[in-house]
Amino acid sequence: FIRHTCPIKHLNKVVKIRDRSELRLKLEEAERLKVEWKSHFHSGKLSTRDNAEALRNYTALRGVVKTLKWALGNPECPLE
């Protein structure tokens, strides 16, 4: 079992540092959207194409939520 770390590499870019309140707002929004997409996916009323879009968006938002939680201090690495 190999434990990955989450290194932050400098990319020679100007980076705007977000404050914690902005990250928390985005986390709340991402969690709300994740629930909506999951509900949409499980509605049973979607075409195959719409179902794929709902699942793709839900999955992406899971990663967004995990990353925002990590940025706010959760020790769980979003890459695992």
Side-chain angles (χ1 to χ4, degrees):
F1 178 72
I2 298 173
R3 181 120 180 112
H4 297 282
T5 59
C6 292
I8 299 174
K9 296 181 181 179
H10 180 63
L11 302 174
N12 295 323
K13 293 183 178 181
V14 176
V15 178
K16 179 181 177 189
I17 303 299
R18 308 285 182 182
D19 65 16
R20 293 182 67 77
S21 63
E22 186 176 5
L23 292 175
R24 280 193 292 274
L25 286 173
K26 291 300 177 186
L27 175 58
E28 289 172 9
E29 182 180 359
E31 288 177 327
R32 180 185 53 79
L33 287 171
K34 184 180 84 166
V35 169
E36 287 179 19
W37 279 110
K38 185 176 182 180
S39 175
H40 196 55
F41 174 72
H42 288 296
S43 71
K45 302 175 184 178
L46 304 175
S47 67
T48 302
R49 184 177 184 175
D50 291 339
N51 201 36
E53 179 184 11
L55 183 58
R56 183 173 49 251
N57 289 337
Y58 167 73
T59 302
L61 285 162
R62 286 176 54 198
V64 169
V65 166
K66 197 171 184 180
T67 301
L68 286 168
K69 285 181 176 180
W70 175 77
L72 287 166
N74 185 328
E76 184 179 352
C77 179
L79 301 177
E80 295 178 349

